[in-house]
Coordinates of all heavy atoms in Angstrom, one line a residue:
M1 N -5.8 19.6 12.8 CA -4.5 19.1 12.9 C -4.4 17.7 12.4 O -5.3 16.9 12.8 CB -4.0 19.2 14.3 CG -2.5 19.0 14.4 SD -2.0 19.3 16.1 CE -1.0 17.9 16.4
S2 N -3.5 17.3 11.6 CA -3.4 16.0 11.1 C -2.9 15.0 12.2 O -2.2 15.5 13.1 CB -2.5 15.9 9.8 OG -1.3 16.4 10.1
D3 N -3.2 13.8 12.0 CA -2.9 12.8 13.1 C -2.1 11.7 12.4 O -2.7 10.7 11.9 CB -4.2 12.3 13.7 CG -4.0 11.5 14.9 OD1 -2.8 11.5 15.4 OD2 -4.9 10.8 15.3
Y4 N -0.8 11.7 12.5 CA 0.0 10.7 12.0 C 0.4 9.7 13.0 O 0.6 10.0 14.2 CB 1.3 11.3 11.4 CG 1.1 11.9 10.0 CD1 0.6 13.2 9.8 CD2 1.4 11.2 8.9 CE1 0.4 13.7 8.6 CE2 1.3 11.7 7.6 CZ 0.8 13.0 7.5 OH 0.6 13.5 6.2
T5 N 0.4 8.4 12.6 CA 0.7 7.3 13.5 C 2.0 6.7 13.0 O 2.2 6.4 11.8 CB -0.4 6.2 13.5 OG1 -1.6 6.9 13.8 CG2 -0.1 5.1 14.5
K6 N 2.9 6.4 14.0 CA 4.2 5.7 13.6 C 3.9 4.3 13.4 O 3.3 3.6 14.2 CB 5.2 5.9 14.8 CG 6.5 5.2 14.5 CD 7.4 5.3 15.8 CE 8.5 4.2 15.6 NZ 9.4 4.2 16.8
I7 N 4.3 3.7 12.3 CA 4.1 2.3 12.1 C 5.3 1.4 12.0 O 5.3 0.2 12.2 CB 3.2 2.0 10.8 CG1 3.9 2.5 9.5 CG2 1.8 2.6 11.0 CD1 3.2 1.9 8.3
A8 N 6.5 2.1 11.7 CA 7.7 1.2 11.6 C 8.9 2.2 11.4 O 8.8 3.3 11.0 CB 7.6 0.3 10.3
P9 N 10.1 1.6 11.7 CA 11.3 2.4 11.4 C 11.5 2.3 9.8 O 11.1 1.4 9.2 CB 12.4 1.7 12.1 CG 11.9 0.3 12.3 CD 10.4 0.4 12.4
T10 N 12.2 3.3 9.3 CA 12.4 3.3 7.8 C 13.2 2.1 7.4 O 13.1 1.7 6.2 CB 13.1 4.6 7.4 OG1 14.3 4.8 8.2 CG2 12.2 5.8 7.5
S11 N 14.0 1.5 8.3 CA 14.8 0.3 7.9 C 13.9 -0.8 7.5 O 14.3 -1.8 6.9 CB 15.7 0.0 9.0 OG 15.0 -0.2 10.2
D12 N 12.6 -0.8 7.9 CA 11.7 -1.9 7.6 C 11.0 -1.7 6.2 O 10.2 -2.6 5.8 CB 10.6 -2.0 8.7 CG 11.0 -2.7 9.9 OD1 12.2 -3.1 10.0 OD2 10.3 -2.8 10.9
L13 N 11.2 -0.5 5.6 CA 10.4 -0.3 4.4 C 10.9 -1.2 3.3 O 12.0 -1.8 3.3 CB 10.8 1.2 3.9 CG 10.0 2.3 4.7 CD1 10.6 3.6 4.4 CD2 8.5 2.2 4.3
P14 N 10.0 -1.5 2.3 CA 10.3 -2.4 1.2 C 11.4 -1.9 0.3 O 11.5 -0.7 0.2 CB 9.0 -2.6 0.5 CG 8.2 -1.4 0.9 CD 8.6 -1.0 2.2
L15 N 12.1 -2.8 -0.3 CA 13.1 -2.4 -1.2 C 12.5 -1.8 -2.5 O 11.2 -2.0 -2.7 CB 14.0 -3.6 -1.6 CG 14.7 -4.2 -0.4 CD1 15.5 -5.5 -0.9 CD2 15.7 -3.2 0.2
A16 N 13.3 -1.3 -3.4 CA 12.7 -0.7 -4.6 C 11.9 -1.7 -5.4 O 12.3 -2.8 -5.6 CB 13.8 -0.1 -5.5
N17 N 10.7 -1.3 -5.8 CA 9.8 -2.1 -6.6 C 9.4 -3.4 -5.9 O 9.3 -4.5 -6.5 CB 10.4 -2.3 -8.0 CG 10.5 -1.0 -8.7 OD1 9.5 -0.2 -8.7 ND2 11.7 -0.7 -9.2
E18 N 9.2 -3.2 -4.6 CA 8.6 -4.3 -3.8 C 7.5 -3.7 -2.9 O 7.4 -2.5 -2.7 CB 9.6 -5.0 -2.9 CG 10.7 -5.8 -3.6 CD 11.6 -6.5 -2.7 OE1 11.4 -6.5 -1.5 OE2 12.5 -7.1 -3.3
A19 N 6.6 -4.6 -2.4 CA 5.5 -4.1 -1.5 C 5.7 -5.0 -0.2 O 6.3 -6.0 -0.2 CB 4.2 -4.4 -2.1
K20 N 5.1 -4.5 0.8 CA 5.2 -5.2 2.1 C 4.0 -4.8 3.0 O 3.4 -3.7 2.9 CB 6.5 -4.7 2.8 CG 7.0 -5.5 3.9 CD 8.4 -5.0 4.3 CE 8.9 -5.7 5.6 NZ 10.2 -5.2 6.0
E21 N 3.6 -5.7 3.9 CA 2.5 -5.5 4.8 C 3.0 -4.9 6.1 O 4.0 -5.3 6.6 CB 1.8 -6.8 5.1 CG 1.1 -7.4 3.9 CD 0.5 -8.7 4.2 OE1 1.2 -9.6 4.8 OE2 -0.6 -9.0 3.7
F22 N 2.2 -4.0 6.7 CA 2.5 -3.4 8.0 C 1.2 -3.3 8.8 O 0.1 -3.1 8.2 CB 3.0 -2.0 7.8 CG 4.4 -1.9 7.2 CD1 4.6 -1.9 5.9 CD2 5.5 -1.9 8.0 CE1 5.8 -1.9 5.3 CE2 6.8 -1.8 7.5 CZ 6.9 -1.8 6.1
L23 N 1.3 -3.5 10.1 CA 0.2 -3.4 11.0 C 0.1 -1.9 11.4 O 1.1 -1.3 11.8 CB 0.3 -4.3 12.2 CG -0.2 -5.7 12.1 CD1 0.0 -6.4 13.4 CD2 -1.7 -5.7 11.7
C24 N -1.1 -1.4 11.4 CA -1.3 0.0 11.9 C -2.6 -0.1 12.7 O -3.7 -0.1 12.2 CB -1.5 1.0 10.7 SG -1.5 2.7 11.3
G25 N -2.5 -0.2 14.1 CA -3.6 -0.5 14.9 C -4.2 -1.8 14.5 O -3.5 -2.8 14.4
S26 N -5.5 -1.9 14.2 CA -6.2 -3.1 13.8 C -6.1 -3.4 12.3 O -6.6 -4.4 11.9 CB -7.6 -3.1 14.3 OG -8.3 -2.0 13.8
K27 N -5.6 -2.4 11.6 CA -5.6 -2.6 10.1 C -4.2 -3.0 9.6 O -3.2 -2.8 10.2 CB -5.9 -1.2 9.5 CG -7.3 -0.8 9.5 CD -7.4 0.6 8.8 CE -7.6 0.5 7.3 NZ -9.0 0.2 6.9
T28 N -4.3 -3.7 8.5 CA -3.0 -4.1 7.8 C -3.0 -3.2 6.6 O -3.9 -3.0 5.8 CB -3.0 -5.6 7.4 OG1 -3.2 -6.4 8.5 CG2 -1.7 -5.9 6.7
I29 N -1.8 -2.6 6.4 CA -1.6 -1.6 5.3 C -0.5 -2.2 4.4 O 0.4 -2.9 4.8 CB -1.0 -0.3 5.9 CG1 -2.0 0.3 6.9 CG2 -0.7 0.7 4.9 CD1 -3.3 0.7 6.3
C30 N -0.7 -1.9 3.1 CA 0.3 -2.2 2.1 C 1.2 -1.0 1.8 O 0.6 0.0 1.4 CB -0.4 -2.7 0.8 SG 0.7 -2.7 -0.6
I31 N 2.5 -1.1 2.0 CA 3.3 0.0 1.6 C 4.1 -0.5 0.4 O 4.7 -1.6 0.4 CB 4.3 0.4 2.7 CG1 3.5 1.1 3.9 CG2 5.4 1.4 2.2 CD1 4.3 1.7 5.0
A32 N 4.0 0.3 -0.7 CA 4.7 0.0 -1.9 C 5.9 1.0 -2.1 O 5.8 2.2 -1.8 CB 3.7 0.1 -3.1
N33 N 6.9 0.5 -2.7 CA 8.1 1.3 -3.1 C 8.2 1.2 -4.6 O 8.6 0.2 -5.1 CB 9.3 0.7 -2.4 CG 10.6 1.5 -2.8 OD1 10.6 2.3 -3.8 ND2 11.7 1.3 -2.1
V34 N 7.7 2.3 -5.3 CA 7.8 2.3 -6.7 C 8.9 3.2 -7.1 O 8.8 4.5 -7.0 CB 6.4 2.8 -7.3 CG1 6.5 2.9 -8.8 CG2 5.3 1.8 -6.9
N35 N 10.0 2.7 -7.6 CA 11.2 3.4 -8.0 C 11.6 4.4 -6.9 O 12.0 5.6 -7.2 CB 10.9 4.1 -9.3 CG 10.6 3.2 -10.4 OD1 11.2 2.1 -10.5 ND2 9.6 3.5 -11.3
G36 N 11.6 4.0 -5.6 CA 12.0 4.9 -4.6 C 11.0 5.8 -4.0 O 11.3 6.5 -3.0
T37 N 9.8 5.8 -4.5 CA 8.7 6.6 -3.9 C 7.7 5.6 -3.1 O 7.2 4.6 -3.7 CB 7.8 7.3 -5.1 OG1 8.7 8.1 -5.8 CG2 6.7 8.1 -4.5
Y38 N 7.6 5.9 -1.9 CA 6.7 5.1 -1.0 C 5.3 5.6 -1.0 O 5.0 6.8 -1.1 CB 7.3 5.1 0.4 CG 8.7 4.6 0.6 CD1 9.7 5.5 0.7 CD2 8.9 3.3 0.5 CE1 11.0 5.0 0.8 CE2 10.2 2.8 0.6 CZ 11.3 3.6 0.7 OH 12.5 3.2 0.8
S39 N 4.4 4.6 -1.0 CA 3.0 5.0 -0.8 C 2.3 3.9 0.0 O 2.8 2.8 0.1 CB 2.3 5.1 -2.2 OG 2.4 4.0 -2.9
A40 N 1.2 4.3 0.7 CA 0.5 3.4 1.6 C -0.9 3.2 1.2 O -1.6 4.2 0.9 CB 0.6 3.9 3.0
M41 N -1.5 2.0 1.1 CA -2.8 1.8 0.8 C -3.4 0.7 1.6 O -2.7 -0.1 2.2 CB -3.0 1.4 -0.7 CG -2.2 0.2 -1.1 SD -2.6 -0.4 -2.8 CE -1.8 0.9 -3.8
D42 N -4.8 0.5 1.6 CA -5.4 -0.6 2.2 C -4.8 -1.9 1.7 O -4.6 -2.0 0.5 CB -6.9 -0.6 2.0 CG -7.6 0.2 3.1 OD1 -7.0 0.3 4.2 OD2 -8.7 0.6 2.9
N43 N -4.6 -2.9 2.5 CA -4.0 -4.1 2.1 C -5.0 -5.1 1.4 O -4.5 -6.0 0.8 CB -3.3 -4.8 3.3 CG -2.4 -5.9 3.0 OD1 -1.5 -5.7 2.2 ND2 -2.6 -7.1 3.6
I44 N -6.2 -4.8 1.5 CA -7.2 -5.8 1.1 C -7.7 -5.5 -0.3 O -8.3 -4.5 -0.6 CB -8.4 -5.8 2.1 CG1 -7.9 -6.3 3.4 CG2 -9.5 -6.8 1.5 CD1 -9.0 -6.1 4.5
C45 N -7.4 -6.4 -1.2 CA -7.8 -6.2 -2.6 C -9.4 -6.3 -2.7 O -10.0 -7.1 -2.1 CB -7.2 -7.4 -3.4 SG -7.7 -7.4 -5.1
L46 N -9.9 -5.3 -3.5 CA -11.4 -5.2 -3.6 C -12.0 -6.3 -4.5 O -13.2 -6.4 -4.6 CB -11.8 -3.8 -4.0 CG -11.4 -2.7 -3.0 CD1 -11.8 -1.4 -3.6 CD2 -12.0 -2.9 -1.7
H47 N -11.1 -7.0 -5.2 CA -11.7 -8.1 -6.0 C -12.2 -9.2 -5.1 O -13.4 -9.4 -5.0 CB -10.6 -8.6 -7.0 CG -11.1 -9.8 -7.8 ND1 -10.3 -10.9 -8.0 CD2 -12.2 -9.9 -8.5 CE1 -11.0 -11.7 -8.8 NE2 -12.1 -11.2 -9.1
R48 N -11.3 -9.9 -4.4 CA -11.8 -11.0 -3.5 C -11.0 -11.1 -2.2 O -10.9 -12.1 -1.6 CB -11.7 -12.3 -4.2 CG -12.7 -12.4 -5.3 CD -13.1 -13.8 -5.7 NE -13.9 -13.8 -6.9 CZ -14.0 -14.8 -7.8 NH1 -13.2 -15.8 -7.6 NH2 -14.7 -14.7 -8.8
G49 N -10.4 -9.9 -1.8 CA -9.8 -9.9 -0.5 C -8.3 -10.3 -0.4 O -7.8 -10.6 0.7
G50 N -7.6 -10.4 -1.5 CA -6.2 -10.8 -1.5 C -5.4 -9.7 -0.8 O -5.7 -8.6 -0.7
P51 N -4.2 -10.2 -0.3 CA -3.3 -9.3 0.5 C -2.3 -8.6 -0.5 O -1.3 -9.1 -0.9 CB -2.5 -10.3 1.3 CG -2.5 -11.6 0.5 CD -3.7 -11.6 -0.3
L52 N -2.6 -7.3 -0.7 CA -1.8 -6.5 -1.7 C -0.4 -6.4 -1.3 O 0.5 -6.4 -2.1 CB -2.5 -5.1 -1.9 CG -3.9 -5.2 -2.5 CD1 -4.4 -3.7 -2.6 CD2 -3.9 -5.9 -3.8
G53 N -0.1 -6.3 0.0 CA 1.3 -6.2 0.5 C 2.1 -7.4 0.2 O 3.3 -7.4 0.4
Q54 N 1.5 -8.5 -0.2 CA 2.3 -9.7 -0.5 C 2.5 -9.8 -2.1 O 3.0 -10.8 -2.6 CB 1.5 -11.0 0.0 CG 1.5 -11.0 1.5 CD 0.7 -12.2 2.0 OE1 0.7 -13.3 1.4 NE2 0.1 -12.1 3.2
G55 N 2.0 -8.8 -2.8 CA 2.1 -8.8 -4.2 C 3.4 -8.2 -4.7 O 4.3 -7.8 -3.9
M56 N 3.6 -8.2 -6.0 CA 4.8 -7.6 -6.7 C 4.4 -6.3 -7.2 O 3.2 -5.9 -7.3 CB 5.2 -8.6 -7.8 CG 5.6 -9.9 -7.4 SD 5.8 -11.1 -8.7 CE 6.3 -10.1 -10.1
I57 N 5.4 -5.5 -7.7 CA 5.2 -4.3 -8.4 C 5.6 -4.5 -9.8 O 6.6 -5.1 -10.1 CB 6.2 -3.2 -7.8 CG1 6.1 -3.0 -6.3 CG2 5.9 -1.8 -8.5 CD1 4.9 -2.3 -5.8
E58 N 4.7 -4.1 -10.7 CA 4.9 -4.2 -12.1 C 4.4 -2.9 -12.8 O 3.3 -2.5 -12.6 CB 4.2 -5.4 -12.8 CG 4.9 -6.7 -12.7 CD 4.2 -7.8 -13.3 OE1 3.3 -7.6 -14.2 OE2 4.4 -9.0 -12.9
N59 N 5.3 -2.3 -13.5 CA 4.9 -1.0 -14.2 C 4.3 0.0 -13.3 O 3.3 0.6 -13.6 CB 3.9 -1.3 -15.4 CG 4.5 -2.3 -16.4 OD1 5.7 -2.1 -16.7 ND2 3.8 -3.2 -16.9
G60 N 4.8 0.1 -12.1 CA 4.3 1.1 -11.1 C 3.1 0.7 -10.4 O 2.5 1.5 -9.6
K61 N 2.6 -0.5 -10.6 CA 1.4 -0.9 -9.9 C 1.6 -2.1 -9.0 O 2.5 -2.9 -9.2 CB 0.3 -1.3 -11.0 CG 0.2 -0.3 -12.1 CD -1.2 0.0 -12.4 CE -1.2 1.3 -13.1 NZ -2.3 1.5 -14.0
V62 N 0.8 -2.2 -7.9 CA 0.9 -3.3 -7.0 C 0.0 -4.4 -7.6 O -1.2 -4.2 -7.9 CB 0.4 -2.9 -5.6 CG1 0.4 -4.1 -4.7 CG2 1.2 -1.8 -5.1
I63 N 0.6 -5.6 -7.8 CA -0.2 -6.7 -8.4 C -0.7 -7.6 -7.3 O 0.1 -8.2 -6.6 CB 0.7 -7.5 -9.4 CG1 1.4 -6.5 -10.4 CG2 -0.1 -8.5 -10.1 CD1 0.4 -5.7 -11.3
C64 N -2.0 -7.8 -7.2 CA -2.5 -8.7 -6.2 C -2.0 -10.1 -6.5 O -2.1 -10.6 -7.6 CB -4.1 -8.6 -6.2 SG -4.8 -9.8 -5.0
P65 N -1.5 -10.8 -5.4 CA -1.0 -12.1 -5.6 C -2.0 -13.2 -5.9 O -1.7 -14.3 -6.4 CB -0.3 -12.4 -4.3 CG -0.9 -11.6 -3.3 CD -1.4 -10.3 -4.0
W66 N -3.3 -12.9 -5.7 CA -4.3 -13.9 -5.9 C -4.8 -14.1 -7.4 O -4.8 -15.2 -7.9 CB -5.5 -13.7 -5.0 CG -5.2 -14.0 -3.6 CD1 -4.0 -14.4 -3.0 CD2 -6.2 -14.1 -2.5 NE1 -4.1 -14.6 -1.7 CE2 -5.4 -14.4 -1.3 CE3 -7.5 -13.8 -2.4 CZ2 -6.1 -14.6 -0.1 CZ3 -8.1 -13.9 -1.1 CH2 -7.4 -14.3 0.0
H67 N -5.2 -13.0 -8.0 CA -5.7 -13.1 -9.4 C -5.1 -12.0 -10.3 O -5.5 -11.8 -11.4 CB -7.2 -13.0 -9.5 CG -7.9 -13.8 -8.4 ND1 -8.4 -13.3 -7.3 CD2 -8.1 -15.2 -8.4 CE1 -9.0 -14.3 -6.5 NE2 -8.8 -15.4 -7.2
G68 N -4.1 -11.3 -9.8 CA -3.4 -10.4 -10.7 C -4.0 -9.0 -11.0 O -3.5 -8.3 -11.9
W69 N -5.0 -8.6 -10.2 CA -5.4 -7.2 -10.5 C -4.3 -6.3 -10.1 O -3.5 -6.5 -9.2 CB -6.7 -6.9 -9.6 CG -8.0 -7.4 -10.2 CD1 -8.1 -8.5 -10.9 CD2 -9.3 -6.8 -10.0 NE1 -9.5 -8.7 -11.2 CE2 -10.2 -7.7 -10.6 CE3 -9.7 -5.7 -9.3 CZ2 -11.5 -7.4 -10.7 CZ3 -11.1 -5.5 -9.3 CH2 -12.0 -6.3 -10.0
A70 N -4.2 -5.2 -10.9 CA -3.2 -4.2 -10.8 C -3.7 -2.9 -10.1 O -4.7 -2.4 -10.6 CB -2.6 -3.9 -12.1
W71 N -3.1 -2.4 -9.1 CA -3.5 -1.3 -8.3 C -2.5 -0.1 -8.4 O -1.3 -0.4 -8.1 CB -3.8 -1.7 -6.9 CG -4.8 -2.8 -6.7 CD1 -4.6 -4.1 -6.8 CD2 -6.2 -2.6 -6.6 NE1 -5.7 -4.8 -6.7 CE2 -6.8 -3.9 -6.6 CE3 -7.0 -1.5 -6.4 CZ2 -8.1 -4.1 -6.4 CZ3 -8.4 -1.7 -6.3 CH2 -8.9 -3.0 -6.2
D72 N -2.9 1.0 -8.7 CA -2.0 2.2 -8.8 C -1.6 2.5 -7.4 O -2.5 2.8 -6.5 CB -2.8 3.4 -9.5 CG -1.8 4.5 -9.7 OD1 -1.3 5.1 -8.7 OD2 -1.7 4.9 -10.9
A73 N -0.3 2.6 -7.1 CA 0.2 2.8 -5.8 C -0.1 4.2 -5.3 O -0.1 4.5 -4.1 CB 1.7 2.5 -5.7
Q74 N -0.2 5.2 -6.2 CA -0.5 6.6 -5.8 C -1.9 6.9 -5.6 O -2.3 7.7 -4.7 CB 0.1 7.5 -6.9 CG 1.6 7.4 -7.0 CD 2.4 7.8 -5.8 OE1 2.0 8.8 -5.2 NE2 3.4 7.0 -5.4
T75 N -2.8 6.3 -6.4 CA -4.2 6.7 -6.4 C -5.1 5.6 -5.8 O -6.2 5.8 -5.4 CB -4.8 6.9 -7.8 OG1 -4.7 5.7 -8.6 CG2 -3.9 8.0 -8.5
G76 N -4.6 4.3 -5.8 CA -5.4 3.2 -5.3 C -6.4 2.7 -6.3 O -7.2 1.8 -6.0
Q77 N -6.3 3.2 -7.5 CA -7.3 2.8 -8.6 C -6.9 1.4 -9.2 O -5.7 1.2 -9.5 CB -7.3 3.8 -9.7 CG -8.2 3.5 -10.9 CD -9.6 3.5 -10.5 OE1 -10.1 4.5 -9.9 NE2 -10.3 2.4 -10.7
A78 N -7.9 0.6 -9.4 CA -7.6 -0.7 -10.1 C -7.6 -0.5 -11.6 O -8.5 0.2 -12.1 CB -8.7 -1.8 -9.6
S79 N -6.8 -1.3 -12.3 CA -6.8 -1.2 -13.7 C -8.0 -2.0 -14.3 O -8.5 -1.6 -15.4 CB -5.5 -1.8 -14.3 OG -4.4 -1.1 -13.8
Q80 N -8.4 -3.0 -13.6 CA -9.4 -3.9 -14.2 C -10.8 -3.5 -14.0 O -11.7 -4.0 -14.6 CB -9.2 -5.3 -13.5 CG -8.1 -6.1 -14.0 CD -6.7 -5.7 -13.4 OE1 -6.6 -4.8 -12.6 NE2 -5.7 -6.4 -13.8
D81 N -11.1 -2.5 -13.1 CA -12.4 -2.1 -12.8 C -12.4 -0.6 -12.4 O -11.9 -0.3 -11.3 CB -13.0 -3.0 -11.7 CG -14.5 -2.7 -11.4 OD1 -14.9 -1.5 -11.7 OD2 -15.2 -3.5 -10.8
S82 N -13.0 0.2 -13.2 CA -12.9 1.7 -12.9 C -13.7 2.1 -11.6 O -13.5 3.1 -11.0 CB -13.5 2.5 -14.0 OG -14.9 2.1 -14.2
R83 N -14.5 1.2 -11.1 CA -15.2 1.5 -9.8 C -14.5 1.0 -8.6 O -14.9 1.3 -7.5 CB -16.6 0.7 -9.8 CG -17.5 1.2 -10.9 CD -18.6 0.2 -11.2 NE -18.0 -1.1 -11.5 CZ -18.7 -2.2 -11.6 NH1 -20.0 -2.2 -11.4 NH2 -18.1 -3.3 -11.9
A84 N -13.4 0.3 -8.8 CA -12.6 -0.3 -7.7 C -11.4 0.6 -7.3 O -10.5 0.8 -8.1 CB -12.2 -1.7 -8.0
K85 N -11.4 1.1 -6.1 CA -10.3 2.0 -5.7 C -10.1 1.7 -4.2 O -11.1 1.9 -3.4 CB -10.8 3.4 -5.9 CG -9.7 4.4 -5.8 CD -10.1 5.8 -6.3 CE -9.0 6.8 -6.3 NZ -9.4 8.1 -6.7
V86 N -8.9 1.4 -3.8 CA -8.6 1.2 -2.4 C -8.2 2.5 -1.8 O -7.7 3.4 -2.5 CB -7.5 0.1 -2.1 CG1 -8.0 -1.3 -2.5 CG2 -6.3 0.4 -2.8
T87 N -8.4 2.7 -0.5 CA -8.0 3.9 0.2 C -6.4 4.0 0.2 O -5.8 3.0 0.5 CB -8.5 3.9 1.6 OG1 -9.9 3.8 1.6 CG2 -8.2 5.2 2.4
V88 N -6.0 5.2 -0.1 CA -4.5 5.5 0.0 C -4.3 6.5 1.1 O -5.2 7.4 1.3 CB -4.1 6.1 -1.4 CG1 -2.6 6.7 -1.2 CG2 -4.2 5.1 -2.5
Y89 N -3.3 6.3 1.9 CA -3.1 7.1 3.1 C -1.8 7.9 2.9 O -0.8 7.4 2.4 CB -2.9 6.2 4.3 CG -4.1 5.3 4.6 CD1 -4.1 3.9 4.2 CD2 -5.2 5.7 5.3 CE1 -5.2 3.1 4.4 CE2 -6.3 4.9 5.5 CZ -6.3 3.6 5.0 OH -7.4 2.8 5.2
P90 N -1.9 9.2 3.4 CA -0.7 10.0 3.4 C 0.4 9.4 4.2 O 0.1 8.9 5.3 CB -1.2 11.3 4.0 CG -2.7 11.4 3.8 CD -3.1 9.9 3.9
L91 N 1.6 9.4 3.7 CA 2.7 8.8 4.4 C 3.9 9.8 4.4 O 4.1 10.5 3.5 CB 3.2 7.5 3.5 CG 4.4 6.8 3.9 CD1 4.3 5.3 3.3 CD2 5.7 7.4 3.4
K92 N 4.5 9.9 5.6 CA 5.7 10.7 5.6 C 6.8 10.0 6.4 O 6.5 9.1 7.2 CB 5.4 12.1 6.1 CG 5.0 12.2 7.6 CD 4.7 13.6 7.9 CE 4.2 13.8 9.4 NZ 3.9 15.1 9.8
I93 N 8.0 10.4 6.2 CA 9.2 9.9 6.9 C 9.8 11.0 7.7 O 10.1 12.1 7.2 CB 10.1 9.3 5.9 CG1 9.5 8.0 5.2 CG2 11.5 8.9 6.6 CD1 10.3 7.5 4.1
E94 N 9.9 10.7 9.0 CA 10.4 11.7 9.9 C 11.3 11.1 10.9 O 10.9 10.1 11.6 CB 9.3 12.4 10.6 CG 9.2 13.9 10.5 CD 7.9 14.4 11.1 OE1 7.6 14.1 12.2 OE2 7.2 15.2 10.4
N95 N 12.5 11.6 11.1 CA 13.4 11.1 12.1 C 13.6 9.6 12.1 O 13.6 8.9 13.2 CB 13.0 11.6 13.5 CG 12.9 13.1 13.6 OD1 13.7 13.8 13.1 ND2 11.8 13.5 14.3
G96 N 13.7 9.0 10.9 CA 13.9 7.6 10.8 C 12.6 6.7 11.0 O 12.7 5.5 11.1
D97 N 11.5 7.4 11.1 CA 10.2 6.6 11.3 C 9.3 6.8 10.1 O 9.3 7.9 9.5 CB 9.5 7.1 12.6 CG 10.3 6.7 13.8 OD1 10.8 5.6 13.9 OD2 10.2 7.5 14.8
V98 N 8.5 5.8 9.9 CA 7.4 5.9 8.8 C 6.1 6.2 9.5 O 5.7 5.5 10.5 CB 7.3 4.5 8.1 CG1 6.2 4.6 7.0 CG2 8.6 4.0 7.6
L99 N 5.5 7.3 9.1 CA 4.3 7.8 9.8 C 3.2 7.8 8.7 O 3.3 8.2 7.6 CB 4.5 9.2 10.3 CG 5.7 9.4 11.2 CD1 5.9 10.9 11.4 CD2 5.5 8.7 12.5
L100 N 2.0 7.3 9.2 CA 0.8 7.3 8.3 C -0.3 8.1 8.9 O -0.5 8.1 10.1 CB 0.3 5.9 8.2 CG 1.0 4.9 7.3 CD1 0.0 3.7 7.1 CD2 1.4 5.5 6.0
E101 N -1.0 8.9 8.1 CA -2.2 9.6 8.5 C -3.4 8.7 8.2 O -3.7 8.4 7.0 CB -2.4 10.9 7.8 CG -3.5 11.8 8.3 CD -3.6 13.1 7.6 OE1 -3.2 13.2 6.4 OE2 -4.0 14.0 8.3
M102 N -4.1 8.2 9.2 CA -5.2 7.2 9.0 C -6.5 8.0 9.1 O -6.7 8.9 9.8 CB -5.1 6.1 10.1 CG -3.9 5.3 10.1 SD -3.6 4.4 8.5 CE -4.9 3.2 8.7
Ligands
FES1 S1 -8.3 -11.0 -4.8 FE1 -7.0 -9.6 -5.7 S2 -7.1 -10.0 -7.8 FE2 -8.5 -11.4 -6.9

């Protein structure tokens, strides 16, 4: 059975083509809104640890605010390094809440 954790009300979700940080237990998660589709990924950039949830969205990717690496919001894959991929978490919205499977 899957184990979803409530992390926020949907009213806290980022606006279209924005990203935002959320706490989920001891982890910080980046939720991105790419043209109305939400996705959740680890907040820590694998380049040098930048906070992805403080980045912008460009061409469907989350742009790290520190040095500009671009991360695919659906797959977690970095454009700059084929070996760099952050964990993406299943996200669902139910009864006005945002739920993540960690
Ligand atoms: S820390 Fe993210 S691009 Fe460098």
Side-chain angles (χ1 to χ4, degrees):
M1 192 176 133
S2 56
D3 188 15
Y4 279 83
T5 304
K6 175 184 166 182
I7 61 163
T10 52
S11 55
D12 283 358
L13 282 167
L15 299 175
N17 297 311
E18 291 185 5
K20 195 170 172 184
E21 294 174 315
F22 291 86
L23 271 181
C24 187
S26 58
K27 281 181 87 84
T28 305
I29 301 295
C30 164
I31 293 185
N33 177 347
V34 177
N35 298 321
T37 300
Y38 298 103
S39 55
M41 61 170 71
D42 268 339
N43 193 52
I44 298 172
C45 178
L46 296 178
H47 178 225
R48 293 204 188 148
L52 296 179
Q54 294 177 29
M56 298 168 30
I57 308 282
E58 274 180 23
N59 300 321
K61 310 227 164 150
V62 178
I63 308 300
C64 178
W66 285 7
H67 315 100
W69 279 32
W71 300 86
D72 187 298
Q74 296 297 317
T75 66
Q77 179 67 54
S79 298
Q80 284 80 358
D81 184 339
S82 61
R83 296 162 303 173
K85 194 172 183 179
V86 293
T87 302
V88 172
Y89 301 97
L91 175 157
K92 67 181 181 182
I93 292 172
E94 237 173 48
N95 302 321
D97 292 322
V98 183
L99 306 170
L100 284 193
E101 187 180 29
M102 300 298 288

